Amino acid sequence: MPLEAGLLEILACPECHASLREETPSEDTHELVCESQGCGLAYPIRDGIPVLLVDEARRPA
C-alpha cells in the first residue's frame, strides 16, 4: 500500500533528518529508506503505518 505523496514530503529520517523514499524490496515488504549517503536506514511500513524508530530500522548492507 503506497503512502500518500503529501505524507512523504513531511516525513524525515529520525536519525539524520534527511528525506525518505518509499521502496518495496519484495511483494510483502514495504519500507522507507533514508536518502542520505551516510545514513541509509530503512524503516518498515507495517499495515500502512511507517515505523520511524531507529531501533526498528534495518541498517544498510
Side-chain angles (χ1 to χ4, degrees):
M1 172 188 312
L3 295 176
E4 293 181 27
L7 181 61
L8 275 177
E9 289 178 16
I10 62 171
L11 291 177
C13 174
E15 180 73 12
C16 70
H17 309 291
S19 298
L20 297 167
R21 70 177 180 279
E22 190 171 5
E23 288 189 1
T24 307
S26 67
E27 287 185 30
D28 58 340
T29 306
H30 301 282
E31 57 190 16
L32 294 177
V33 179
C34 178
E35 293 187 331
S36 170
Q37 296 258 338
C39 182
L41 291 175
Y43 299 93
I45 300 173
R46 295 187 187 125
D47 298 322
I49 301 169
V51 180
L52 297 176
L53 299 171
V54 175
D55 292 342
E56 294 282 327
R58 179 178 56 79
R59 298 272 174 198

